[in-house]
Amino acid sequence: MARIVMKFGGTSMAGIERIRAVAARIRREWAAGNQVAVVVSAMAGETDRLVGFCREASALYDAREYDVVVSAGEQVTSGLLAIALQAIGVPARSWLGWQLPIRTSDGHASARIADIETAGLLASMARGEVAVIPGFQGLASGERVTTLGRGGSDTSAVAMAAAMEADRCDIYTDVDGVYTTDPRIVPRARKLKKVTYEEMLELASVGAKVLQTRSVGLAMKEKVRVQVLSSFVDDDAPAADTLPGTMIVGEEEIEDMERQLITGIAHDKNEAKITLTSVPDKPGAVASIFAPLADANINVDMIVQNIAHSTGPTPSSTDVTFTVPSSDLAKSLDVLEKAKAEIEFAQIVHDTRVAKITVVGVGMRSHAGVASRMFTTLGQRGINILAITTSEIKVSVLIHEDETELAVRVLHTAYGLDAEDDGAA
Amino acid sequence: MARIVMKFGGTSMAGIERIRAVAARIRREWAAGNQVAVVVSAMAGETDRLVGFCREASALYDAREYDVVVSAGEQVTSGLLAIALQAIGVPARSWLGWQLPIRTSDGHASARIADIETAGLLASMARGEVAVIPGFQGLASGERVTTLGRGGSDTSAVAMAAAMEADRCDIYTDVDGVYTTDPRIVPRARKLKKVTYEEMLELASVGAKVLQTRSVGLAMKEKVRVQVLSSFVDDDAPAADTLPGTMIVGEEEIEDMERQLITGIAHDKNEAKITLTSVPDKPGAVASIFAPLADANINVDMIVQNIAHSTGPTPSSTDVTFTVPSSDLAKSLDVLEKAKAEIEFAQIVHDTRVAKITVVGVGMRSHAGVASRMFTTLGQRGINILAITTSEIKVSVLIHEDETELAVRVLHTAYGLDAEDDGAA
């Protein structure tokens, strides 16, 4: 039979009753003869509680001690799930990050997995025991505890699947798959049966909160077959390999017949727009803006430089517009003010009431006109485009936040993504 | 300067504000040039919460997984205290049970400490770093997490002090020392400056909840000087070696001048009395009662066998009375009913409304008449004695629960323990 990794998020682990439901679902996979490793998150809200303690204890906390504190949440749920599995007759044991160990970089609070020792784990699974592994945690040099950054349990699951050469990595979430767009905005959104790693990576990085972006990148690199499934299915549901979730796979696994021009439309309201006015139009000007932001670890996304305009006797100057995560806005403004003498801009203007709309699809590699159709469709509805970025398989535009839902709806229809009826295809 | 272990209980760790107060107290010892290791409990209520999860997950939980779950509480507080210390300029790091490691037996949920590796710890402390160690936890064979049983953090602290040959082990609690008796019952109770290990062991095992009994036994065996102090002292309090707590020491450290006949009076309402009527008065009868109780791990305390009385033609028989912890009463009755055919008793009578009153003092080794004064004093107030046990340094009597406070008060006066005024001497 198969060797599978199952991952359950915080909502699925929130309380013993839900942990029991998770145990029942695991038992079905185990009873079907599969070798099963399970990766768990902390109970919903628990990581926030622990992070809150650290912040209250010190604004500038030691990331090594932060990791000791916050990794406790997953330790608790992994022990409890092992107990719940044993209670229904499934042999199980927990394997903490330091016990395996899961070796990581020394980047405390946002460590990267380097290597997972699986010998003991695989021997235990071969004896029929379910392995329960706390997500989010690992072990750095000096035998110190690390964590992988928020949402890191998805990455733990994918890394575990890669290390044990699992046939499948099933991610159970509070949605039942990946949709063409947010079904709360477009009731005719369709659930995708398959999506490529590249597409999922773009969708995850622009606001589709199904999977942590890093986990998708790792799955792509390690060729792990990831399946997104709902944790809220009744006990009589079929085994996971026949469940209607979304499978994330390599492009070669998607038949031409199934392929769409556009796979999905994402939106992200967590960006802020900054414009610097009258920046001198001279070599090095742009570097003087973005170097201090990079030094401050601020991720700049969309950049638009207007055509230089000369205003009489002064040298020609230009306006530069770009976006940063809203959470970094205050820090960005501070960094830019401090660099004002060097950049020589006139004014800073900023706006958090913007949204980024992204259409994603590997199909656009071989089809021209995707971007053009986007601009035309939005223009027909009077939606103003503030900035544009593109990559090989996506086009993103920045618009006013109030127009988010309208833009998503009209684009969903324009690219032919609407389902025949309201609901999943 | 000195090498000291400081231990803080759950009340002292309940929330960041209190953890900050603990950090401030540690800084005073550290700033005085001492090498400091700190042992911490989980936040008050946290261990109960985690134990509750385990019980809810399965009535018969795997103790190995229980240990994974419940040890998380101390992991959290040790990380937070390290952060709080750093925030006030004290270099500090946490050392988890598996990191040192603290090697224990394999008796999960009630493991015993076998050995503590202190090399890394001592090197760190020699560099001026405060070591923060989660109490209650250790590491068994197979690198599995263990815990030491409820209240085990006291034992962790004493074991740590023994392993690092500390000059002192300061136990900060929510009382400010060991008293001649419970000050809530006798306002004229006096705080003891010193008490011997043997006396503290007797007091701890009969209801004085200051220290876990095992920790006192370990301190006695390892000759660790233990000091009981209040955690609720203001920030300007003097260093701990001049604070008016109670020092627990070897008998040789107590001067004859200071020595009292009786050191303290304890009471314990957590016992239940069981009487088996008409047990045949024949060899092996008593063994047939207590062997099955011992097999069921039930700790029988006081035993009274009445004089045999012959009732006509049947062989002579006797009533046997004994006490068990109230929490084991139901199990005891069950065990005895199952052994009824073998024991051949007529009836079981039980009563939980009893209390054990114990007077303790190494002075009674060399003075006769201690027990006699106890019986006389209680008899004068009409208090009926239901059972008696004695050891070299204590006398315990079982009485009706309603008379507990009266008995403690009259004995406190009779043995000359009352303070001159209301309050500590």
Side-chain angles (χ1 to χ4, degrees):
Chain A
M1 304 301 284
R3 181 182 292 167
I4 58 180
V5 172
M6 303 172 77
K7 185 262 169 180
F8 293 89
T11 316
S12 309
M13 301 304 287
I16 300 301
E17 202 161 324
R18 292 198 181 167
I19 290 176
R20 262 199 271 271
V22 164
R25 167 146 283 294
I26 293 166
R27 181 168 62 177
R28 283 202 296 285
E29 298 293 343
W30 170 83
N34 296 309
Q35 287 192 6
V36 183
V38 186
V39 174
V40 296
S41 297
M43 292 190 187
E46 182 65 7
T47 305
D48 284 341
R49 188 175 81 103
L50 296 171
V51 170
F53 282 145
C54 291
R55 291 196 177 141
E56 197 186 338
S58 175
L60 294 167
Y61 49 74
D62 180 347
R64 293 168 300 187
E65 301 299 342
Y66 164 94
D67 282 347
V68 167
V69 174
V70 299
S71 63
E74 282 75 11
Q75 176 169 334
V76 168
T77 47
S78 55
L80 290 175
L81 179 56
I83 290 173
L85 282 165
Q86 292 173 5
I88 57 169
V90 179
R93 73 155 280 193
S94 62
W95 297 82
L96 302 180
W98 59 268
Q99 283 173 326
L100 283 169
I102 298 171
R103 292 273 170 205
T104 72
S105 70
D106 290 348
H108 284 275
S110 59
R112 300 192 154 263
I113 294 176
D115 183 54
I116 301 177
E117 174 57 52
T118 55
L121 190 79
L122 290 176
S124 163
M125 288 167 66
R127 289 193 298 272
E129 290 168 9
V130 169
V132 184
I133 298 146
F136 182 55
Q137 62 179 235
L139 191 66
S141 66
E143 308 297 295
R144 301 291 295 259
V145 175
T146 48
T147 63
L148 308 182
R150 296 305 294 270
S153 291
D154 287 342
T155 303
S156 299
V158 171
M160 194 59 62
M164 62 172 62
E165 297 176 354
D167 297 287
R168 216 171 64 227
C169 179
D170 292 343
I171 309 269
Y172 288 83
T173 69
D174 44 10
V175 298
D176 64 350
V178 181
Y179 279 75
T180 49
T181 195
D182 185 342
R184 286 167 303 182
I185 296 180
V186 182
R188 299 175 87 97
R190 285 183 297 114
K191 186 159 65 183
L192 297 161
K193 287 201 179 78
K194 288 182 181 171
V195 61
T196 67
Y197 297 120
E198 292 87 343
E199 289 166 334
M200 195 63 223
L201 202 54
E202 293 288 1
L203 290 169
S205 62
V206 292
K209 303 219 164 23
V210 179
L211 289 176
Q212 196 204 22
T213 309
R214 265 169 72 188
S215 70
V216 182
L218 184 63
M220 179 161 76
K221 177 168 166 277
E222 300 284 348
K223 303 245 174 291
V224 174
R225 288 169 62 87
V226 174
Q227 185 170 212
V228 176
L229 295 162
S230 170
S231 17
F232 301 104
V233 287
D234 63 57
D235 281 359
D236 300 325
D241 56 358
T242 61
L243 275 183
T246 299
M247 193 66 102
I248 304 169
V249 294
E251 208 174 327
E252 68 285 357
E253 283 198 51
I254 297 186
E255 313 257 329
D256 279 346
M257 289 288 288
E258 302 169 323
R259 193 162 294 164
Q260 302 261 350
L261 182 60
I262 292 300
T263 304
I265 301 173
H267 66 279
D268 183 2
K269 295 184 180 178
N270 295 312
E271 301 235 342
K273 179 169 75 97
I274 298 176
T275 300
L276 301 183
T277 64
S278 302
V279 177
D281 185 30
K282 61 179 185 188
V286 169
S288 70
I289 298 170
F290 296 111
L293 290 170
D295 290 346
N297 243 330
I298 294 163
N299 212 359
V300 173
D301 182 18
M302 308 175 99
I303 302 175
V304 180
Q305 186 176 351
N306 291 358
I307 293 155
H309 47 94
S310 177
T311 53
T314 57
S316 76
S317 68
T318 179
D319 294 349
V320 177
T321 296
F322 53 90
T323 62
V324 296
S326 297
S327 55
D328 284 339
L329 177 62
K331 192 161 74 163
S332 302
L333 297 177
D334 186 51
V335 165
L336 292 167
E337 282 295 351
K338 282 180 181 145
K340 185 168 185 177
E342 202 183 339
I343 307 174
E344 298 175 54
F345 60 84
Q347 267 195 302
I348 300 187
V349 184
H350 63 88
D351 187 359
T352 56
R353 298 189 47 75
V354 293
K356 187 167 68 171
I357 310 293
T358 303
V359 299
V360 172
V362 292
M364 69 176 79
R365 282 204 195 109
S366 46
H367 284 79
V370 168
S372 155
R373 189 186 300 179
M374 187 175 193
F375 306 151
T376 308
T377 304
L378 295 176
Q380 282 168 348
R381 302 303 291 250
I383 297 170
N384 195 27
I385 295 174
L386 309 173
I388 299 168
T389 54
T390 63
S391 80
E392 204 184 4
I393 63 165
K394 75 149 192 219
V395 181
S396 295
V397 296
L398 197 70
I399 62 172
H400 193 276
E401 188 181 72
D402 290 347
E403 296 168 324
T404 306
E405 286 73 15
L406 175 63
V408 170
R409 274 192 214 108
V410 296
L411 290 171
H412 201 264
T413 303
Y415 288 110
L417 295 174
D418 291 355
E420 300 286 306
D421 51 9
D422 290 2
Chain B
M1 303 301 283
R3 181 182 291 166
I4 58 179
V5 172
M6 303 171 76
K7 185 260 168 180
F8 293 89
T11 316
S12 309
M13 303 303 287
I16 300 300
E17 202 160 324
R18 292 198 181 168
I19 289 176
R20 262 199 271 272
V22 165
R25 169 145 280 295
I26 293 166
R27 180 167 63 175
R28 283 202 296 287
E29 299 292 345
W30 171 83
N34 296 308
Q35 288 192 7
V36 183
V38 186
V39 174
V40 296
S41 297
M43 292 190 187
E46 182 65 7
T47 305
D48 284 342
R49 188 176 80 104
L50 296 172
V51 170
F53 282 145
C54 292
R55 292 198 176 137
E56 198 187 337
S58 174
L60 295 167
Y61 49 74
D62 180 346
R64 293 168 299 188
E65 301 299 343
Y66 165 94
D67 282 348
V68 167
V69 174
V70 300
S71 63
E74 281 76 11
Q75 176 169 335
V76 167
T77 48
S78 55
L80 290 175
L81 179 56
I83 290 173
L85 282 165
Q86 293 173 5
I88 56 169
V90 179
R93 73 156 280 194
S94 62
W95 298 82
L96 302 180
W98 58 267
Q99 284 173 326
L100 284 168
I102 298 172
R103 291 272 169 205
T104 72
S105 69
D106 291 347
H108 284 275
S110 60
R112 297 188 157 265
I113 293 177
D115 183 55
I116 301 177
E117 174 56 51
T118 56
L121 190 77
L122 290 177
S124 162
M125 288 167 66
R127 290 193 298 271
E129 290 169 7
V130 169
V132 184
I133 299 146
F136 183 55
Q137 61 179 236
L139 190 65
S141 66
E143 309 298 292
R144 302 291 294 258
V145 175
T146 48
T147 62
L148 308 181
R150 294 307 292 271
S153 291
D154 288 342
T155 303
S156 298
V158 171
M160 194 59 63
M164 61 172 64
E165 296 175 354
D167 297 285
R168 216 171 64 228
C169 179
D170 292 343
I171 309 267
Y172 289 82
T173 68
D174 44 11
V175 298
D176 65 350
V178 181
Y179 279 75
T180 48
T181 194
D182 186 341
R184 286 168 302 183
I185 294 180
V186 182
R188 298 175 84 97
R190 286 184 297 114
K191 185 160 64 184
L192 297 162
K193 287 202 178 78
K194 289 182 181 173
V195 62
T196 66
Y197 296 121
E198 293 87 343
E199 288 166 337
M200 194 64 223
L201 202 54
E202 294 287 1
L203 288 169
S205 62
V206 293
K209 303 218 166 27
V210 179
L211 289 176
Q212 195 205 24
T213 310
R214 266 168 70 188
S215 69
V216 182
L218 184 62
M220 178 161 76
K221 176 166 166 278
E222 301 284 348
K223 303 247 174 288
V224 174
R225 287 169 64 86
V226 175
Q227 183 169 211
V228 176
L229 294 163
S230 170
S231 18
F232 302 106
V233 287
D234 62 58
D235 280 0
D236 300 324
D241 56 0
T242 61
L243 275 183
T246 298
M247 193 66 102
I248 305 169
V249 295
E251 209 172 327
E252 67 286 357
E253 284 199 51
I254 298 186
E255 313 258 328
D256 279 347
M257 290 286 288
E258 302 168 325
R259 193 161 294 163
Q260 302 260 352
L261 182 60
I262 292 302
T263 304
I265 302 173
H267 65 278
D268 183 3
K269 295 185 179 178
N270 295 312
E271 302 237 340
K273 181 170 73 97
I274 299 176
T275 300
L276 302 182
T277 65
S278 301
V279 177
D281 185 29
K282 62 178 184 189
V286 170
S288 70
I289 296 170
F290 296 112
L293 290 171
D295 290 346
N297 244 330
I298 295 164
N299 212 359
V300 173
D301 181 18
M302 311 174 97
I303 302 175
V304 180
Q305 186 175 352
N306 290 358
I307 293 157
H309 46 92
S310 177
T311 53
T314 59
S316 76
S317 69
T318 179
D319 294 348
V320 177
T321 295
F322 53 90
T323 62
V324 296
S326 297
S327 54
D328 283 338
L329 176 61
K331 192 162 72 164
S332 303
L333 297 177
D334 186 51
V335 165
L336 292 166
E337 282 295 351
K338 282 181 180 144
K340 186 169 185 178
E342 204 184 336
I343 308 174
E344 297 177 55
F345 59 86
Q347 266 195 303
I348 300 187
V349 184
H350 63 89
D351 187 358
T352 57
R353 298 190 46 75
V354 293
K356 185 167 65 169
I357 311 294
T358 303
V359 299
V360 172
V362 292
M364 69 174 80
R365 282 205 194 108
S366 45
H367 284 80
V370 168
S372 157
R373 189 186 299 178
M374 188 175 194
F375 306 152
T376 307
T377 304
L378 295 176
Q380 282 167 348
R381 303 304 291 250
I383 296 169
N384 195 27
I385 295 174
L386 309 172
I388 300 168
T389 53
T390 63
S391 80
E392 206 185 0
I393 63 163
K394 74 149 194 218
V395 183
S396 297
V397 297
L398 196 70
I399 62 173
H400 192 278
E401 189 181 70
D402 289 347
E403 296 169 324
T404 306
E405 286 75 14
L406 175 63
V408 170
R409 275 192 212 107
V410 297
L411 290 172
H412 200 264
T413 303
Y415 287 110
L417 295 174
D418 291 354
E420 300 286 305
D421 51 8
D422 289 4

